[in-house]
Amino acid sequence: MSIADYEQTAEDHQAVLVVVKPAGQINAKTFNHIFDRITRCRHVRLPDSQRSFCLRYKKSSPVENNVWGEFQAHRKVMGLLVVGKCATAADTGAIQERYNLLKELYGSTLYDSRCLIFGMKQENGTNAKTNMVYYSSVEDSFSLDETVREFAASLFWVLESKRLQAERLASDKSEKLPLLLAPFEKKDLIGIDTETRAFRKRCQGRMRKYSGDLCLLAGLTQEALLHYQASADILKSANDWLWLAAAFEGTCAASVTVQYPHGTTRPPMPRNQSFSGSPKVTSERKLSGSLTRAATMSPNGLPMATAEFLQDGKAKNCLSPDEIIEKYKEALIQYSKYKNAAVIELEGIIKATRIMITQRKNLQASEFLQNMVYINIQLTDEDKIQRYNTLSGLYEQIGFKRKAAFFKRVAAMQCVSPNNPNPAWNSCYHLLQETLDGYSLTLDPRQFPREYTYGWPAIQLRILHEMVYTARKMGNPALAVRHMSFLLHAMSDHLAPYERKELSKVLESYTAKVPGTPVPLALESGAILPPVPMTNLPTVKSFKLLDLAPHLRPMKKPSSQTSSASLNSPFIYSPIQSRQQEKKDQSKMDFQWVSGEVCEMALQVINPMPFELKVQNMSVMSEGIVFEPLISNLSLPAESGPLGVTLLGTPKTAGQLKLVGYVTHVLGVKSHCKFKDLRQIEEPDYSVEVVPELPKLQVTTSLPKAAFGTTNHNLGLNKAKETAVTSAAARLYAGESQECVLTLQNVSQIPVESIDISLDTSISSPKVPSGFFTWNLENTKAQLPLQSGAMATFTVLIKAVGEIATQDRKSAENEEPSSRHSSPKKSPQTRPRSMRTAAMTAPPMEAQQPEEEKAQPVDAVLKLTYSGGQGYEEGYHRQASVILHVDVLQSLLVSKVNILPAKSPRHCHLTLDLHNVTRHEVVISYPDNDDLIIESKQLKRIAVRVERFSLPEPCTSDAPISIISPADARSQQYSQQLATLVDIRWKMPSSGTCGVVNLEGIPMTPEAIDLISISPIQWDVRIDNKPYDTEEPVQCMVGRPMSVKVSVTNASAEAVEGSTLVVQPYQDLWNGTVLNDVNGKVACIGCQKRDVKKMEPGESFQHSCTFVFFCCGDFGLDIRATCESRVRSQDHKWVFTPIVRITVQDKAKKSP
């Protein structure tokens, strides 16, 4: 029985079959090299002739097929080449023996043969008697091509003689022709009448058909077509259906050689089997190739040159493309009538299919191939595998990929069938691997779509299971792990919960022997299996880089170039800039990390498995600078998520860090999962800038931490709490002071080289008074640099400041004079009308008594800026914040502040009311007086002597525009100076608490400033030519003149302009009433007022006048000087002290 040749094509009918066999000690590589050189000679043009013919070479040809040489001449072996390699003469004998044996094997059909021996130097050349050709080596066989051409020419001339002999027999009707037989027809020859006309037609028709075969082999296509046509007519009349089918097939083959001179098969294109191309890309490439070929083909699949040749009528009796298919159908129908011609029918279907593929008649080709399936032939397992492989290849060429994959899988199963004693698991695996494309399956997880169904999941699962099982049988556990990992990764959505659980257990059992690796896996066939990152175990829903803690974030002062560049634009708003801000790259972080410090990344993970999933050695993958990830182990409950997970890592150097994915170790498989492969992660990578290393300070305070309420509506305080490292709380009475000691410890390896402190009081309402928090950092800076582990301290002094009850100036100035300036009769020290009191009073405190429990909160943020190391050199620093919270309780409330002149012109008196609003007894201490006890809720008035002082007036000519007027600025200056001069202390004996009375913020009126400041005027007053420098009254008689001489000197360093000196008499009734109108009681001889335009420094002027009193009583002189002010609307007023008091009597006597 013959063996089917699944590589048969219609063009093989015109090619002489030559078998090339190895002999002797020649390895496969050398033999294949020589075979490739021999096969270059496929089309031979004879020298000195226009004739040419074709050769086809095969490494093996079954002897069973050789007996079909009479039925179809192209099937018999006409040439034999034996290739041998030897080193000794004994090896030559073995090669020659092998050569002779092969000649005997194919001797019935063999026309000529050669034996090519490589390695013999002593007999180089050709032995014509034995057809032995010798070469010294393979490299020196330059004449091999010439030898093959000479051998081909020898074959041709033998073939030509055979052709001429057959044509002579076919054309000679007188001679009795032999009957050519198919192998199975020989047993039917017995009993046939050879003298009948039908028998003779059969002999003649078969001979004409045989002559056509030889003509086709000899390159005479037109003669072959004539012989085939003639034989078909004869055989049809003789009802010789088998040979009629052969004649039809010969006609088709000859027509194909004319119609398709370049053949009906395309050389296979080299294919990279590393699974780098997706199905979509492959289909696009094939479509592009098809369009390119279509541009050079006619509508029926013919090349353009051949179509024009046929239209010119140069090919006679040649079938058209459609007629070729019809003739093949007829031939196959006739073949199907003979069971023993099944192999011929099978090969005919293959040939016809390849022709239809060339003609792009895919549907008709599929019908032919369907008939091929039903041909029943007794085949070996190897032949069955080859048959299914051929079917698969043909289906793939016509675009039936799924059916091609089906037969490829059948071939794979045939390799390991139960009846096969030697199952070929490697071949089975490679065949299964070739089915993936047909089932829309790829082993590259990046190309396999998971967001939608692509292909047939049930079939894909079956194929993957079979590949896993085959890999195990191959003894390749790593390959089995790779396929099982891909199955769980790509097909988990199509698995039931119990299947996921079972397959996970199976994978764990595999990886217990061979762990899964994240590297490509190379197969023996050259294919590369990409790694399978198990991104769904667990599924990462989101990934986010976290900023450092607020006190650890690096800061850098913006450069002047950056700030100026933003201000150089002439436009207030630009839509281009706004669009650029909207298109901000989300993968680049707007914060920075610090080298050498642990950083955090937040993930949300989901466990889709119906069992507890243990994720080991989870960490992040990075590019760029050196990054040391910290390993995390997770245990996720069954079917849970999303769950928050934090991964840690430490950048080791400064620069740009790019995070590209994460690493997991699940079910024994190590996976490198990249963000670009995760559809739920928007960015392919995340970049963050890492700055050089910076020190880290730990800050502690000596005070307890503040307990802030959860319902605090202070937004500034809430924000400060989020960024502060610690807090300090104190509860103080107004005027009380307390120290807060801050300890700074360097908890890093980087020395602290710079420390600076600032205070932010913007979070407190009302505003924090100045001087509430004070500190001195010089001591701490002297300890720099602060080495690792070292500590430094500095003290913040907290001085609680209370409130001062005041009313506006107009209400104070509009009070009745009598209520403020009356003097008891027995108090000669009481001021007269001319010595006005500078009052800064408020309504009685009984109307607004605060409660002790109601404390005023004062909040501030102490910002500690420090730096060191490489980061300090590049301008980076850190800032640690400490919240200072102080509850201020009212202690002594100050009100009704007045300034009174004293006896001495160098002093004045400050009078004020102190209201004890606490629940404790308070002891008041102040200079030049005994301690004063004020009971709870009690109000007492005290007077403190204050030395007068003067401050320079603010210059407003060159001063910038300010919201504070010059008068208010001068008032603040005097108020602050007064507070420093007055020292009033209090103490609570019950608790030992002590403090000072705060006088800062007292509003100073112009009159108060004049009273408290040192007068620039020096006075010299003489009464009756006697200096008046005592407080004793001057004795005067009624009706007697009293002379008054006043000398004024400018003792200041500046000129005084617009001065006016006034001497005004008045009468004090000592009952609280002062009479300014003394007309009829006192007469003045001279002027009471004198104006001076300008007084230079040191300049003086004098004024004299005489007074005559007409009645007895107590009188006084109000001597004052005024000048213009540059900083306020009212003039300055200076009053002479002590007060000039005059006692007028009827007769001279001593004053009591």
Side-chain angles (χ1 to χ4, degrees), residues 409-456:
R409 178 178 172 274
V410 173
M413 297 298 104
Q414 194 64 44
C415 293
V416 292
S417 65
N419 298 329
N420 191 348
N422 299 314
W425 291 105
N426 287 334
S427 300
C428 176
Y429 176 80
H430 295 312
L431 291 173
L432 287 175
Q433 190 177 352
E434 293 176 4
T435 64
L436 299 178
D437 189 24
Y439 290 126
S440 302
L441 186 62
T442 174
L443 296 182
D444 190 349
R446 295 174 300 176
Q447 302 296 337
F448 188 83
R450 294 187 57 201
E451 58 273 10
Y452 58 89
T453 302
Y454 185 73
W456 304 268

Side-chain angles (χ1 to χ4, degrees), residues 762-1022:
S762 60
I763 65 172
S764 181
S765 179
K767 187 178 180 180
V768 178
S770 60
F772 200 98
F773 301 100
T774 57
W775 63 86
N776 186 2
L777 198 60
E778 298 301 327
N779 225 2
T780 305
K781 289 185 176 181
Q783 304 178 34
L784 298 180
L786 195 63
Q787 300 297 331
S788 174
M791 292 187 296
T793 60
F794 75 95
T795 303
V796 176
L797 179 62
I798 305 174
K799 184 179 179 181
V801 179
E803 295 181 353
I804 297 178
T806 63
Q807 67 180 32
D808 56 20
R809 300 173 184 174
K810 292 183 179 180
S811 62
E813 294 174 356
N814 293 335
E815 288 191 23
E816 291 296 331
S818 61
S819 65
R820 296 182 293 149
H821 308 301
S822 60
S823 301
K825 188 172 184 178
K826 295 182 180 180
S827 300
Q829 307 295 334
T830 303
R831 294 177 300 161
R833 172 67 183 86
S834 61
M835 305 299 292
R836 291 187 177 181
T837 302
M840 291 78 68
T841 62
M845 292 305 302
E846 289 78 9
Q848 39 175 319
Q849 291 188 4
E851 298 180 0
E852 177 189 2
E853 291 78 5
K854 187 177 181 181
Q856 175 67 37
V858 176
D859 297 305
V861 178
L862 192 70
K863 295 183 178 180
L864 178 65
T865 304
Y866 62 95
S867 183
Q870 185 67 27
Y872 176 63
E873 297 178 1
E874 297 191 13
Y876 291 97
H877 63 272
R878 279 179 167 158
Q879 192 174 81
S881 301
V882 179
I883 297 180
L884 302 177
H885 177 78
V886 182
D887 288 327
V888 181
L889 302 173
Q890 292 294 343
S891 55
L892 294 175
L893 196 59
V894 180
S895 62
K896 295 185 179 180
V897 182
N898 296 325
I899 296 178
L900 302 175
K903 298 178 182 179
S904 171
R906 307 295 300 176
H907 296 85
C908 64
H909 287 286
L910 175 69
T911 63
L912 48 89
D913 289 347
L914 296 178
H915 184 201
N916 181 10
V917 296
T918 69
R919 296 180 180 179
H920 308 277
E921 180 184 89
V922 176
V923 178
I924 304 298
S925 301
Y926 55 98
D928 301 333
N929 285 279
D930 296 333
D931 293 346
L932 176 65
I933 298 176
I934 304 178
E935 299 295 337
S936 176
K937 309 302 180 184
Q938 189 177 9
L939 178 68
K940 286 192 177 182
R941 188 175 183 84
I942 64 173
V944 182
R945 191 177 70 168
V946 181
E947 185 176 356
R948 292 185 176 186
F949 59 89
S950 293
L951 297 176
E953 294 184 1
C955 183
T956 59
S957 60
D958 299 330
I961 299 176
S962 174
I963 60 174
I964 301 178
S965 63
D968 292 338
R970 184 170 179 81
S971 176
Q972 290 181 3
Q973 290 179 353
Y974 276 87
S975 176
Q976 294 173 1
Q977 182 67 16
L978 179 63
T980 59
L981 296 177
V982 178
D983 184 16
I984 304 176
R985 300 183 177 272
W986 57 265
K987 184 177 181 180
M988 296 180 184
S990 59
S991 62
T993 304
C994 60
V996 297
V997 177
N998 176 40
L999 296 178
E1000 291 186 6
I1002 296 177
M1004 302 292 290
T1005 62
E1007 293 82 357
I1009 294 176
D1010 290 340
L1011 287 175
I1012 203 171
S1013 61
I1014 299 176
S1015 175
I1017 301 298
Q1018 289 186 358
W1019 300 91
D1020 182 14
V1021 178
R1022 295 178 180 272

Side-chain angles (χ1 to χ4, degrees), residues 106 130 170 193 222 291 420 474 550 554 558 701 719 736 873 880 997 1116:
Y106 298 107
T130 58
D193 187 3
Q222 290 298 324
L291 293 176
N420 191 348
M474 289 169 56
T701 66
K719 185 177 180 181
E736 184 181 0
E873 297 178 1
V997 177

Side-chain angles (χ1 to χ4, degrees), residues 45-228:
R45 182 174 295 277
L46 299 175
D48 302 331
S49 175
Q50 298 297 325
R51 300 282 298 279
S52 63
F53 77 113
C54 298
L55 299 174
R56 64 187 178 103
Y57 302 90
K58 296 186 67 176
K59 294 180 181 180
S60 63
S61 178
V63 181
E64 294 85 351
N65 290 357
N66 215 29
V67 298
W68 287 84
E70 291 183 355
F71 183 74
Q72 290 180 331
H74 73 281
R75 293 181 178 274
K76 58 184 177 181
V77 178
M78 297 181 181
L80 174 65
L81 290 176
V82 178
V83 180
K85 186 177 182 181
C86 60
T88 62
D91 296 338
T92 305
I95 295 174
Q96 190 171 4
E97 183 179 354
R98 168 70 173 169
Y99 171 57
N100 294 331
L101 183 61
L102 290 173
K103 283 200 302 183
E104 292 179 4
L105 186 63
Y106 298 107
S108 60
T109 61
L110 202 61
Y111 290 173
D112 198 0
S113 63
R114 295 288 187 275
C115 181
L116 309 177
I117 300 177
F118 297 86
M120 291 297 293
K121 296 182 180 180
Q122 66 274 21
E123 298 185 26
N124 287 347
T126 303
N127 191 335
K129 294 182 179 180
T130 58
N131 293 332
M132 307 287 287
V133 183
Y134 297 94
Y135 299 97
S136 59
S137 65
V138 177
E139 292 77 11
D140 297 334
S141 57
F142 302 108
S143 61
L144 178 61
D145 295 343
E146 184 64 28
T147 301
V148 175
R149 284 194 294 270
E150 181 271 330
F151 168 70
S154 175
L155 284 178
F156 175 79
W157 294 119
V158 177
L159 175 63
E160 181 67 11
S161 64
K162 295 289 185 181
R163 181 188 68 81
L164 294 175
Q165 182 182 359
E167 285 186 346
R168 182 180 58 79
L169 290 176
S171 61
D172 190 359
K173 298 182 179 180
S174 61
E175 187 176 350
K176 186 176 180 179
L177 299 176
L179 180 63
L180 301 177
L181 299 174
F184 66 90
E185 290 180 327
K186 294 180 180 180
K187 62 181 179 179
D188 299 333
L189 188 60
I190 302 174
I192 295 180
D193 187 3
T194 59
E195 300 296 333
T196 62
R197 184 178 179 181
F199 181 79
R200 287 195 298 271
K201 284 186 176 182
R202 182 177 297 182
C203 293
Q204 185 180 7
R206 292 186 178 187
M207 184 58 70
R208 293 294 296 269
K209 185 265 173 192
Y210 181 69
S211 297
D213 289 345
L214 295 179
C215 289
L216 190 58
L217 289 174
L220 301 174
T221 306
Q222 290 298 324
E223 287 80 352
L225 286 171
L226 294 174
H227 283 296
Y228 286 137

